[in-house]
Amino acid sequence: MEDLIKKFSEYIEESHNIVFFGGAGVSTESGIPDFRSKDGLYNQKDIKFDKYPPEYLLSHTCLVKEPKVFFEFYRQKMDARNIQPNAAHFALAELEKLGKLKSIITQNIDGLHQKAGSNIVYEIHGTTKENYCDKCNKKYPSDYIFDSKESIPQCECGGIVRPKVTLYEEGLPEDAVSNAISAIRKADMLIVAGTSLQVYPAASYVHNFTGKHLVVINKEPINVKLDNKKDIFIQGSVGEILRNII
């Protein structure tokens, strides 16, 4: 492990355009459950929602056909307003201040990277921090859905106020995806952390990397091709490893 950490530090020293690609494992250390692990959101028993397939509750179909169910689940499970960034988020913000890290690409929707101080964050699955009307596109404050007394939050035009989160059956935000792919292509070092790279199409974006060093950090081994001469895999806590590096 020490040798890997040392090599990781050397890679950062010699790199000038680092991009970070992160998944749910970055936020679990703040207490936000992932989706599919044994302790994940989809395995949490709740009698109110047990009759529904997990993916359905965060789908476009559920929002349209059963909005009361959608918003009840969303309010209970997606509210990260009182969650604080962890060591990984703060380390990445510091790496940005040092001029090394140029952008963060995240599959998470909790806004913790920005809360920790990072400025260039591409949220390829959207964010719970923004809401808008599905009819007139009027924007609403980040607290609007969570604080609304209505079971289905309504816009003054009569439309439904929904979160700016990419639901199942919806396409990813084009601007964020375009910026993410462009950043990866320009990077001389790519750090992939806290993700199994099993969620597509987001996982496919790492294949656009042609830079010098690829570093993978995860608690479990993942299926990604590494070049032993220039790439490394570090198994462990994302926050602990990044904190030691910084």
Side-chain angles (χ1 to χ4, degrees), residues 3-39:
D3 289 343
L4 292 175
I5 294 294
K6 182 180 179 182
K7 186 175 289 188
F8 188 11
S9 298
E10 291 172 353
Y11 287 175
I12 289 177
E13 284 291 334
E14 66 183 64
S15 299
H16 304 285
N17 190 338
I18 301 172
V19 170
F20 179 87
F21 182 99
V26 178
S27 290
T28 53
E29 294 175 33
S30 286
I32 296 178
D34 60 12
F35 285 84
R36 295 173 178 81
S37 71
K38 63 181 179 67
D39 298 318

Side-chain angles (χ1 to χ4, degrees), residues 48-106:
K48 290 183 179 179
F49 306 115
D50 281 352
K51 66 178 180 179
Y52 299 101
E55 289 83 1
Y56 174 77
L57 293 164
L58 288 174
S59 70
H60 180 80
T61 297
C62 185
L63 173 64
V64 172
K65 292 188 174 182
E66 297 186 82
K68 287 185 178 181
V69 173
F70 173 86
F71 283 107
E72 184 175 7
F73 182 81
Y74 182 82
R75 288 183 175 112
Q76 285 190 27
K77 306 297 185 181
M78 299 290 113
D79 188 356
R81 291 176 295 173
N82 294 322
I83 304 295
Q84 298 304 315
N86 61 57
H89 299 106
F90 288 119
L92 291 169
E94 184 63 27
L95 201 57
E96 183 186 272
K97 290 179 184 177
L98 294 172
K100 292 287 187 177
L101 183 69
K102 301 304 180 184
S103 60
I104 292 171
I105 302 163
T106 181

Side-chain angles (χ1 to χ4, degrees), residues 32-35 40-42 44 49 54 57-59 69-83 107-112 125-131 142-143 145-146 163 165-168:
I32 296 178
D34 60 12
F35 285 84
L41 192 63
Y42 290 167
Q44 294 178 1
F49 306 115
L57 293 164
L58 288 174
S59 70
V69 173
F70 173 86
F71 283 107
E72 184 175 7
F73 182 81
Y74 182 82
R75 288 183 175 112
Q76 285 190 27
K77 306 297 185 181
M78 299 290 113
D79 188 356
R81 291 176 295 173
N82 294 322
I83 304 295
Q107 295 174 283
N108 299 327
I109 59 176
D110 48 50
L112 292 181
H125 288 160
T127 176
T128 61
K129 303 301 181 183
E130 298 180 38
N131 305 295
S142 59
D143 294 335
I145 291 177
F146 295 118
V165 172
T166 303
L167 305 176
Y168 288 102

Side-chain angles (χ1 to χ4, degrees), residues 147-205:
D147 291 344
S148 175
K149 303 302 182 183
E150 301 172 323
S151 58
I152 304 173
Q154 300 283 327
C155 176
E156 56 189 19
C157 78
I160 295 177
V161 178
R162 58 158 293 175
K164 193 178 179 181
V165 172
T166 303
L167 305 176
Y168 288 102
E169 305 161 348
E170 295 181 336
L172 301 186
E174 292 183 6
D175 287 350
V177 168
S178 176
N179 287 330
I181 292 175
S182 177
I184 290 173
R185 286 174 175 168
K186 295 175 183 176
D188 57 8
M189 178 177 176
L190 178 64
I191 304 171
V192 176
T195 174
S196 61
L197 293 180
Q198 293 181 353
V199 178
Y200 283 80
S204 65
Y205 301 160

